[in-house]
Amino acid sequence: MNSTPEHKPRPMVDLLVSVILPSLILMKLSGEDALGVSGGLIVALAFPLGWGLFELVKYKKFNFIALLGLISVLLTGSIGLFELDNKWLAIKEASVPALIGIAVLVSTFTPYPLVRALLFNASVMDVETIKEKLAENNSTALFEKKLLNATYFIAGSFAFSATMNYLLAKWIVVSPAGTEAFNEELGQMTLYSYPVIAIPSMIMMMATFYYLWRAINKATGLKLEDLLVKK
């Protein structure tokens, strides 16, 4: 019998603990009259690290948002602690989505394209039924072309994120690294990145999913409720 509690996704809680709280700590508690620059960074790191470990231990689930929050705060904080030039912050902000986008493109030349893991996977769609219908309608090649187009769309969304991350970092973070003002600007940048970058990127991803669903619908005749895995 499995004693591991059932894990239910809690994206708002993940976002609050892994992104919003660390951002507020960096903005409001990094002054010398509070936690200080180093103390503020350490406390900010503790939230995504602690939350990720909690989810891993209790639910045996890997929390991707907590990991991203931890890596982001750790890399950004390192720039502050070592008082590196601000240009490295902009490069760091752009490099993560850029590398993911490149990985999506490169994966199309491997047996395991990432677009299948993101959009066309057995945990979300009834892949076997779709494949059977595609074969019956001689539409497999056409669908593979549509899937490749979806790959380009997703890579484009990450390219958009990389560009906007770079511009946002250059615009907001102007104070010298290792200062209270630098930490406060980091928190502002992180908070602004969600309405400015994350929401448009999410819309682009949803549009890509809709494009893929329409392609499957036309190629197989299956309706949306027939495509999705029955829970």
Side-chain angles (χ1 to χ4, degrees), residues 95-231:
S95 63
V96 174
L99 288 173
I100 295 174
I102 292 170
V104 169
L105 285 177
V106 171
S107 71
T108 61
F109 301 101
T110 73
Y112 308 102
L114 287 176
V115 70
R116 291 183 183 273
L118 289 170
L119 299 177
F120 189 60
N121 65 78
S123 64
V124 177
M125 293 187 174
D126 190 346
V127 174
E128 292 305 316
T129 299
I130 294 170
K131 286 182 177 179
E132 288 176 7
K133 286 291 183 179
L134 288 171
E136 287 177 12
N137 297 337
N138 296 317
S139 300
T140 301
L142 176 62
F143 174 70
E144 290 296 330
K145 183 179 179 181
K146 298 291 186 180
L147 201 59
L148 186 60
N149 288 340
T151 299
Y152 296 146
F153 295 155
I154 292 175
S157 73
F158 283 113
F160 167 81
S161 294
T163 302
M164 292 302 296
N165 275 344
Y166 182 86
L167 295 175
L168 199 64
K170 295 290 284 186
W171 174 49
I172 293 178
V173 185
V174 295
S175 299
T179 64
E180 179 183 349
F182 177 81
N183 271 17
E184 184 172 345
E185 289 163 3
L186 286 181
Q188 291 175 351
M189 180 190 69
T190 303
L191 288 180
Y192 290 163
S193 70
Y194 278 82
V196 173
I197 300 169
I199 292 177
S201 296
M202 188 179 301
I203 292 172
M204 292 169 72
M205 288 287 287
M206 291 173 64
T208 303
F209 183 84
Y210 177 76
Y211 168 83
L212 192 62
W213 168 71
R214 289 290 297 167
I216 296 173
N217 174 255
K218 288 182 178 180
T220 65
L222 295 172
K223 297 180 180 179
L224 182 60
E225 56 267 26
D226 300 320
L227 299 179
L228 300 179
V229 172
K230 306 295 188 296
K231 299 295 184 181

Side-chain angles (χ1 to χ4, degrees), residues 17-32:
V17 177
S18 301
V19 176
I20 296 176
L21 285 178
S23 299
L24 292 175
I25 290 168
L26 288 173
M27 285 194 300
K28 303 300 182 183
L29 299 178
S30 293
E32 293 305 323

Side-chain angles (χ1 to χ4, degrees), residues 42-124:
I42 291 171
V43 174
L45 278 171
F47 279 89
L49 176 61
W51 183 244
L53 289 175
F54 168 77
E55 294 251 307
L56 184 63
V57 171
K58 184 171 182 178
Y59 299 108
K60 303 296 187 293
K61 291 288 184 180
F62 180 75
N63 192 313
F64 189 65
I65 294 178
L67 177 65
L68 285 180
L70 175 64
I71 292 174
S72 179
V73 176
L74 182 61
L75 291 177
T76 304
S78 299
I79 293 170
L81 286 177
F82 292 108
E83 300 183 5
L84 301 178
D85 192 284
N86 283 2
K87 70 178 182 181
W88 293 109
L89 175 67
I91 292 171
K92 169 258 168 184
E93 289 297 312
S95 63
V96 174
L99 288 173
I100 295 174
I102 292 170
V104 169
L105 285 177
V106 171
S107 71
T108 61
F109 301 101
T110 73
Y112 308 102
L114 287 176
V115 70
R116 291 183 183 273
L118 289 170
L119 299 177
F120 189 60
N121 65 78
S123 64
V124 177

